[in-house]
């Protein structure tokens, strides 16, 4: 049995973004319950040289919208990166999930060998679609989703693995 580029990307991005949305909802409620200014969570980071929660969510959605767009030969939607609240982050996630819903399996057919050109780590790179999806887009997406979760866990939001997985 083979897995299509669509099945390996669009439904996975959508499911994980929906879980991330739930994580953010729980964090926002936790801030209310604990009488913590939401900005404490939104600007929190795991280490001084890491991005804050808000930027982690922005980058995760960038990878989720960018990967299928590039694989389908579409222009990647540009977002302003101006989110400043949980509501703003939720809207960004919803916009990304809506964008993902515009793709069909046929849109990503034969994208395994499509040349993907992008800027990674400050340099221009070129690679086949399958390599891009499995070795660039997915690992980066999971890194930033996981880091967002970890920031909130580190700040006392009672989250567990089941929440991360979307159960």
């Amino acid at each position: 049995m083979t897995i299509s580029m669509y099945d390996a990307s669009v439904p996975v991005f959508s499911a994980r973004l929906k879980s991330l949305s739930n994580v953010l909802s729980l964090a926002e409620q936790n801030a209310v319950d604990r009488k913590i200014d939401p900005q404490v969570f939104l600007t929190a980071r795991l280490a001084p040289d890491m991005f804050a929660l808000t930027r982690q969510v922005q980058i995760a959605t960038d990878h989720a919208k960018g990967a299928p767009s590039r694989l389908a030969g579409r222009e990647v939607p540009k977002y302003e990166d101006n989110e400043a609240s949980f509501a703003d982050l939720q809207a960004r996630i919803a916009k990304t999930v809506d964008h993902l819903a515009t793709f069909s399996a046929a849109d990503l057919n034969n994208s395994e060998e499509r040349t993907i050109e992008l800027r990674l780590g400050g340099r221009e790179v070129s690679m086949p679609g399958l390599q891009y999806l499995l070795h660039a887009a997915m690992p980066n997406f999971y890194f930033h989703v996981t880091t967002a979760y970890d920031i909130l866990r580190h700040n006392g939001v009672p989250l567990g693995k089941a929440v991360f997985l979307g159960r």
Side-chain angles (χ1 to χ4, degrees):
M1 181 174 128
T2 59
I3 183 170
S4 71
M5 292 290 281
Y6 175 87
D7 289 334
S9 61
V10 174
V12 177
F13 289 130
S14 293
R16 297 289 63 82
L17 287 176
K18 289 173 185 172
S19 294
L20 180 58
S21 174
N22 186 42
V23 165
L24 294 177
S25 292
L26 293 169
E28 184 175 26
Q29 185 58 54
N30 184 261
V32 170
D33 294 347
R34 292 169 53 201
K35 298 177 177 50
I36 296 171
D37 180 350
Q39 289 301 309
V40 170
F41 289 162
L42 294 167
T43 60
R45 57 187 73 225
L46 289 178
D49 65 342
M50 291 182 77
F51 289 127
L53 174 68
T54 297
R55 188 72 184 123
Q56 299 293 342
V57 174
Q58 291 168 341
I59 295 171
T61 56
D62 286 346
H63 284 287
K65 69 184 168 69
S69 297
R70 288 183 184 96
L71 292 169
R74 293 187 193 172
E75 187 171 331
V76 178
K78 294 192 184 343
Y79 297 169
E80 292 185 36
D81 294 339
N82 60 358
E83 291 78 18
S85 68
F86 280 107
D88 292 344
L89 292 175
Q90 293 286 11
R92 184 181 178 112
I93 291 170
K95 182 169 45 171
T96 305
V97 170
D98 288 346
H99 174 68
L100 291 169
T102 69
F103 292 93
S104 70
D107 293 326
L108 275 65
N109 278 352
N110 303 313
S111 63
E112 297 88 349
E113 295 301 322
R114 170 177 271 138
T115 300
I116 305 298
E117 296 177 355
L118 69 156
R119 196 162 180 80
L120 281 178
R123 61 186 171 81
E124 295 293 326
V125 297
S126 178
M127 64 188 84
L130 183 61
Q131 181 183 350
Y132 162 66
L133 179 64
L134 297 180
H135 298 281
M138 283 301 202
N140 275 288
F141 173 75
Y142 273 108
F143 175 86
H144 293 287
V145 169
T146 301
T147 302
Y149 170 94
D150 291 346
I151 288 169
L152 294 168
R153 242 344 242 125
H154 178 75
N155 279 277
V157 179
L159 302 168
K161 184 176 174 181
V163 172
F164 178 84
L165 296 175
R167 294 188 189 138

